[in-house]
Amino acid sequence: MIPTPYLLFLGDAPDQLAAKVAQGIKDWRPENAVGQLRLPGCGADVGLTDMTLEEAKEAGAQTLVIGVANRGGVISQAWKEVLVKALEMGYDLASGLHNLLRDENDLVAAAKVNGRTLHDVRIPSVAYPIANGVKRSGKRCLAVGTDCSVGKMYTGLAMDAEMRKRGMKSTFRPTGQTGILITGGGVPLDAVVADFMAGAVEYLTPDNDDDHWDHIEGQGSLYHVSYSGVTMALVHGGQPDALVLSHEPTRAHMRGLPDYQQPSLEDLRDTALAMARVANPACQVIGISVNTQHLSEDEATAYLKEVEDRMGLPTVDPFRHGAGRLVDALEGL
């Protein structure tokens, strides 16, 4: 296990979305974070107290967590001075980037000299099988998005929390670095060899009680040309009984792809449902999750109503307003 509490390192993240790992930890495990550390020019702020390494250590921090998710998942040379100093001060380091801590010779050397541990959470720890498509007992819900980073993980976490509050059987199943850092386990799906990704999802969501729901953390988008492969593995390996459509309405284009527009919710519904019914012919779209963080309360209310009237599905921001209506829809299955 990674020692807690954490100091969340935002580095030189250019915008709020780039700090989604730190934001997720702050929102869902606030007790595990004492503060944030930002470099000059950082464009993100997760709402924690800005601290130096010294101040956070005094506050009890044990691990410096790289809270940045940049394109390509690389460790910036601009971060190295802070990372090495943290190790020298007695911090462990934790990261979910594709660029592994253990592959950086200077960090490995500093960790060894100071008796610290480098925690790379984006390393598959199991020899996952190839998917077999055999129907499993229990029920599964998957959020699929019009784009990357639109709130799929938040949707799953919020629905899981609501079901647990109601005394229902529910488990959140992490498939990415943020979910793993929040819960302490899961499958780093985009680090699994492609032929085994769907099998890894089957492994993550095994047979269960008939009234138990797995909430599988969504990744990427079927419409995102960079990351659609991992989404398809979730759709087929997860064999979802229920899909939730996830959307962020204020974007001018797909994340990182200025020449690509987000699909309509209608197109996402039709495409995702067709793909899901390959593995589970009974799959249904049960609701819509909208990330309204950039809308005022009045704007959010109006937008949610417009989408619900148009789509005929319960439409909510589960983080802002709660996931109750989405869970109500699951109870009807």
Side-chain angles (χ1 to χ4, degrees):
M1 294 293 291
I2 301 172
T4 58
Y6 306 143
L7 173 61
L8 302 180
F9 180 66
L10 277 59
D12 51 1
D15 55 34
Q16 201 67 26
L17 264 184
K20 69 175 188 176
V21 176
Q23 189 71 60
I25 294 171
K26 182 261 183 180
D27 286 343
W28 293 100
R29 291 293 184 271
E31 69 277 9
N32 285 352
V34 302
Q36 63 184 19
L37 193 163
R38 299 187 290 169
L39 297 179
C42 180
D45 183 349
V46 300
L48 293 172
T49 302
D50 285 299
M51 290 184 170
T52 64
L53 289 171
E54 291 80 5
E55 289 168 340
K57 199 66 178 174
E58 183 69 22
Q62 298 190 61
T63 302
L64 182 68
V65 174
I66 296 177
V68 182
N70 54 28
R71 190 169 178 84
V74 297
I75 296 172
S76 169
Q77 289 301 311
W79 305 346
K80 284 295 188 67
E81 182 178 350
V82 172
L83 300 183
V84 170
K85 182 179 178 181
L87 291 165
E88 292 172 346
M89 290 180 59
Y91 286 87
D92 281 4
L93 295 184
S95 170
L97 296 172
H98 285 295
N99 182 176
L100 302 178
L101 296 169
R102 69 181 187 183
D103 289 339
E104 297 296 308
N105 292 335
D106 48 355
L107 299 181
V108 171
K112 183 176 181 180
V113 167
N114 294 283
R116 309 317 305 167
T117 302
L118 304 177
H119 303 273
D120 285 303
V121 304
R122 216 174 198 148
I123 299 177
S125 58
V126 173
Y128 299 113
I130 291 177
N132 59 30
V134 174
K135 178 65 176 174
R136 305 185 295 286
S137 58
K139 297 179 179 179
R140 290 157 193 87
C141 180
L142 173 68
V144 290
T146 52
D147 195 2
C148 301
S149 305
V150 293
K152 299 180 293 293
M153 182 189 74
Y154 277 54
T155 300
L157 284 164
M159 293 180 72
D160 174 57
E162 176 66 21
M163 294 185 85
R164 288 171 178 268
K165 187 170 74 173
R166 297 185 186 190
M168 301 170 69
K169 298 176 184 177
S170 175
T171 305
F172 176 71
R173 303 293 189 180
T175 61
Q177 58 173 323
T178 309
I180 292 170
L181 284 166
I182 289 171
T183 65
V187 171
L189 192 59
D190 62 4
V192 175
V193 173
D195 278 357
F196 301 92
M197 286 196 297
V201 181
E202 290 185 349
Y203 175 92
L204 183 67
T205 58
D207 285 307
N208 219 313
D209 295 341
D210 289 342
D211 58 347
H212 178 278
W213 280 94
D214 277 337
H215 294 279
I216 308 169
E217 181 186 358
Q219 299 291 337
S221 170
L222 290 170
Y223 283 86
H224 199 293
V225 296
S226 303
Y227 308 118
S228 56
V230 69
T231 314
M232 184 62 80
L234 286 161
V235 170
H236 284 169
Q239 296 182 359
D241 299 277
L243 295 176
V244 177
L245 309 181
S246 297
H247 182 55
E248 205 281 63
T250 68
R251 294 190 186 169
H253 55 76
M254 300 285 276
R255 176 73 171 165
L257 299 175
D259 295 329
Y260 287 80
Q261 301 302 306
Q262 291 188 91
S264 68
L265 284 164
E266 289 87 349
D267 284 346
L268 175 63
R269 175 198 61 200
D270 295 345
T271 299
L273 193 57
M275 293 297 98
R277 284 180 172 171
V278 171
N280 183 355
C283 183
Q284 299 181 42
V285 176
I286 60 94
I288 299 171
S289 166
V290 180
N291 178 349
T292 65
Q293 65 176 321
H294 298 304
L295 301 179
S296 69
E297 188 65 31
D298 288 345
E299 289 170 335
T301 299
Y303 184 80
L304 294 171
K305 182 179 186 305
E306 184 274 319
V307 171
E308 181 159 338
D309 289 347
R310 188 178 89 233
M311 299 291 292
L313 292 165
T315 302
V316 302
D317 182 330
F319 187 68
R320 191 172 188 171
H321 303 128
R325 295 182 65 220
L326 297 178
V327 172
D328 291 344
L330 285 188
E331 287 193 290
L333 293 184

